[in-house]
Amino acid sequence: MIEINAKTREAYDLMHQGTLALAKMERHGIGFDEAKAQTFYVQLSEQIATLEQKIKKSTFYKEWQRSAKTEINIYSDLQLADFLYNIKGYTPTSVTKTGKGATNAEALGHLGIKEVDWLLDIRKLKKARDTYLGSLMRENNSGRIHPHYNLNLVTTYRSSSSDPNFQNMPKRDKEIMKIVRSCLIPSPGFHLMEVDFSQLEVSIAAAYHKDPAMIDYLKHDRDMHKDMAKQIFFLKKFDKNNPYHSYLRKAAKNGFVFPQFYGDYYKPCALNLGQKWGKLQDEEWKRGQGVLVDENTHLSDHLIKNGISSIYDFIEHIKKIERHFWGKRFPVYQEWKETQWSNYQKRGYVDLYTGFRCCAPSKSGSSTLSRNDAINYPVQGSAFHCLLWSVIQLDKQLELHGMQTRMIGQIHDAIVIDVHPDEVNDVVSLAKNIMTKLLPEHWSWINVPLRVEFEMTPQDGSWAEMQGLHI
DNA sequence: GGAACTCGCCAC
DNA sequence: AAACGTGGCGAGTTCC
């Protein structure tokens, strides 16, 4: 629980009306296909049992059991770490914050032990079964689920969701996504629709730092990730239809640009880019290693040709890019970060444009905000408030027009809607008008255009069947 | 026997 | 100076 520090009447009203609109969503809930969930639950359980039997028949298991005094639990990471790192003598690729050898997917995957890979497979299946299907089945109320939305739990004045948490349903892993999301369905005869703000946090950050170069990117919808991919991976030309280039663009986006915006620095970025995205495992790079940069060139060869032959060279390379990124590309943004940090140190709080004040710590044990916190909090909070304001307005409009469409969920920068088939076009224009026109008019501190994307399922299609809607 | 912690992992 | 921001949740484990 946080202390809500609303400094203005407007901030108070946003919380008040927001709470009412979210409560309405919660009451309406989302349809749940119980039978489908039950089927998946059984299927997953069978897959888990099969893998478990395979493991228990293996010599790996027998050796593990022999090494222990009591009956081992193959699902205990503590016992697994002890066996692998203390008894078998493997070196963990990373450690946890308490200094023990890590047993996360990354670390275990590196070992190349097939029984351990089976354990990782089980982990994934159990996550889907117990965390997701399990919580949906537990919270099921006659074919509807009513996730809670909280406005009083997050330090940044974002929302959270629980029982079940509607804001972390699987999406990236397509197999797990289908299992979970296909159980979440519209009302009979309706569609599910999702409206997302495109790059909302980056756009809202621009209102704070006002960096002209960043504003230029956002105003003209220019592709920063492409520019960074070219620089990081020495690409002379970038072809967006080239799948190798698309991959490298994604690496630049997820391995450099986003982490930098959240306050990461060059060294972890470089290590991540090299190992996770570039698939370059050794410190010195040999010929023919890493992902492809074109039909017949591996990343290692490409980097060596450009004078980068080891992870140490690459760290230096990324260090230069980071310096250029903040010093030359976005100096005004950089300057704002420094000012924001020193202002926080002077005053002991950071204010949001939406009228809220952050001074409470998020992490236990610390009574102050870190530098990254002081920079990130106002952006994260007011970005969410753009979504919350939109939810309130859309709710009013749906009510005003006596529509049958209802909002049923909210995920930080997106609204999930249960749409009556006759109201599809109206909902699209209402949402688009509120989110891209009325919102920037209402909050004049917004200084770049806001964009939205729509997705929709077929009639009676589940949440796993979302398709882009071209407006 | 329950509270609190650790670890891992899902989302934005 | 600091070193990726915000959550929820399940399972195992330890503390009281």
Side-chain angles (χ1 to χ4, degrees):
Chain A
M1 187 82 76
I2 60 158
E3 184 187 339
I4 305 286
N5 197 338
K7 308 305 288 182
T8 62
R9 174 58 194 247
E10 198 200 351
Y12 172 84
D13 285 342
L14 185 73
M15 281 289 122
H16 192 167
Q17 294 177 38
T19 300
L20 295 176
L22 293 177
K24 241 165 113 173
M25 270 185 185
E26 195 171 314
R27 187 175 61 205
H28 186 74
I30 182 166
F32 179 58
D33 189 334
E34 293 182 61
K36 191 169 253 178
Q38 186 61 39
T39 307
F40 280 131
Y41 195 96
V42 171
Q43 268 178 27
L44 287 168
S45 299
E46 284 165 359
Q47 288 177 46
I48 291 164
T50 306
L51 283 164
E52 193 176 312
Q53 280 166 19
K54 263 167 80 175
I55 290 169
K56 289 194 168 170
K57 269 191 271 181
S58 69
T59 53
F60 174 88
Y61 172 82
K62 284 166 189 154
E63 192 185 347
W64 183 4
Q65 179 59 73
R66 266 202 307 280
S67 75
K69 294 182 187 71
T70 52
E71 182 74 18
I72 60 164
N73 176 357
I74 60 168
Y75 300 124
S76 164
D77 292 334
L78 228 57
Q79 294 177 31
L80 180 63
D82 185 55
F83 177 62
L84 292 171
Y85 304 137
N86 297 334
I87 294 169
K88 293 293 286 177
Y90 289 102
T91 308
T93 55
S94 61
V95 291
T96 67
K97 66 175 178 195
T98 56
K100 290 195 274 280
T103 54
N104 56 33
E106 171 86 27
L108 294 184
H110 267 99
L111 299 173
I113 302 170
K114 71 171 185 297
E115 292 83 356
V116 174
D117 289 340
W118 294 340
L119 275 175
L120 289 176
D121 294 339
I122 294 183
R123 237 188 225 174
K124 196 174 93 167
L125 301 173
K126 281 177 86 116
K127 176 93 178 171
R129 186 190 65 174
D130 301 335
T131 302
Y132 295 107
L133 289 183
S135 72
L136 292 176
M137 290 161 85
R138 186 181 68 237
E139 302 295 339
N140 175 31
N141 198 313
S142 312
R144 286 197 95 73
I145 306 277
H146 302 266
H148 295 292
Y149 296 99
N150 315 296
L151 291 177
N152 62 333
L153 297 180
V154 183
T155 316
T156 61
Y157 299 100
R158 244 197 191 184
S159 67
S160 70
S161 168
S162 64
D163 306 295
N165 181 353
F166 190 69
Q167 294 177 325
N168 74 343
M169 294 296 167
K171 186 172 190 179
R172 293 178 190 126
D173 183 320
K174 295 304 168 201
E175 182 196 349
I176 302 301
M177 181 279 277
K178 278 180 191 154
I179 290 174
V180 177
R181 295 197 177 207
S182 66
C183 300
L184 294 166
I185 54 177
S187 297
F190 281 47
H191 303 261
L192 287 179
M193 183 187 281
E194 207 168 324
V195 200
D196 290 63
F197 278 112
S198 323
Q199 36 191 1
L200 182 61
E201 283 197 16
V202 173
S203 304
I204 294 312
Y208 285 92
H209 59 65
K210 303 186 180 70
D211 187 292
M214 184 68 76
I215 289 173
D216 190 65
Y217 266 108
L218 293 163
K219 267 201 174 143
H220 304 103
D221 206 11
R222 286 173 44 218
D223 188 350
M224 175 186 309
H225 308 308
K226 177 197 82 176
D227 293 345
M228 292 318 297
K230 283 171 73 174
Q231 197 180 0
I232 291 168
F233 297 110
F234 303 96
L235 305 176
K236 291 194 181 65
K237 272 193 214 154
F238 185 91
D239 174 7
K240 67 177 195 294
N241 298 315
N242 177 335
Y244 306 112
H245 286 188
S246 297
Y247 183 86
L248 295 175
R249 179 186 174 279
K250 208 169 165 186
K253 174 181 167 184
N254 294 321
F256 184 83
V257 178
F258 283 175
Q260 286 287 327
F261 285 152
Y262 283 129
D264 203 1
Y265 78 120
Y266 67 90
K267 202 173 174 184
C269 285
L271 292 172
N272 236 343
L273 279 166
Q275 290 164 12
K276 189 169 153 207
W277 290 102
K279 307 273 193 271
L280 291 162
Q281 303 200 350
D282 305 321
E283 295 178 5
E284 298 292 326
W285 296 337
K286 297 173 193 65
R287 300 261 154 208
Q289 290 187 332
V291 295
L292 292 169
V293 298
D294 60 46
E295 297 75 30
N296 37 36
T297 313
H298 285 271
L299 183 59
S300 64
D301 300 304
H302 181 68
L303 290 177
I304 290 166
K305 200 177 73 191
N306 285 282
I308 310 289
S309 54
S310 72
I311 190 67
Y312 307 105
D313 294 343
F314 195 60
I315 290 170
E316 281 308 303
H317 173 56
I318 299 300
K319 184 178 181 177
K320 281 183 204 149
I321 290 179
E322 183 190 82
R323 193 170 296 155
H324 178 264
F325 188 81
W326 292 109
K328 292 282 190 288
R329 282 183 191 267
F330 305 119
V332 178
Y333 195 158
Q334 172 65 28
E335 184 59 32
W336 175 78
K337 294 205 292 184
E338 301 309 333
T339 311
Q340 181 71 5
W341 175 225
S342 67
N343 282 345
Y344 168 70
Q345 288 175 305
K346 244 179 286 172
R347 300 168 188 158
Y349 59 80
V350 292
D351 281 335
L352 278 58
Y353 281 140
T354 49
F356 296 91
R357 176 165 292 178
C358 296
C359 32
S362 65
K363 299 160 199 114
S364 57
S366 162
S367 60
T368 54
L369 301 189
S370 71
R371 182 183 192 275
N372 283 340
D373 290 342
I375 292 161
N376 287 326
Y377 281 14
V379 175
Q380 190 178 104
S382 28
F384 169 67
H385 293 156
C386 290
L387 192 278
L388 187 60
W389 189 87
S390 305
V391 163
I392 294 166
Q393 303 309 315
L394 185 54
D395 178 62
K396 282 184 184 161
Q397 291 298 314
L398 294 174
E399 191 90 21
L400 185 71
H401 294 101
M403 293 165 76
Q404 290 176 263
T405 295
R406 290 285 177 274
M407 286 179 284
I408 60 181
Q410 162 270 124
I411 314 173
H412 308 304
D413 66 355
I415 309 175
V416 183
I417 316 175
D418 195 21
V419 183
H420 188 282
D422 296 343
E423 298 173 354
V424 170
N425 291 335
D426 290 340
V427 172
V428 166
S429 30
L430 282 172
K432 196 171 179 186
N433 188 44
I434 289 166
M435 296 163 88
T436 65
K437 192 164 172 289
L438 301 182
L439 174 62
E441 284 169 11
H442 174 71
W443 276 329
S444 54
W445 45 265
I446 295 172
N447 59 355
V448 295
L450 297 181
R451 297 185 171 82
V452 287
E453 286 166 18
F454 290 86
E455 285 182 301
M456 195 169 78
T457 68
Q459 202 171 18
D460 290 309
S462 77
W463 202 18
E465 297 163 62
M466 280 289 184
Q467 284 174 352
L469 204 60
H470 300 286
I471 306 303

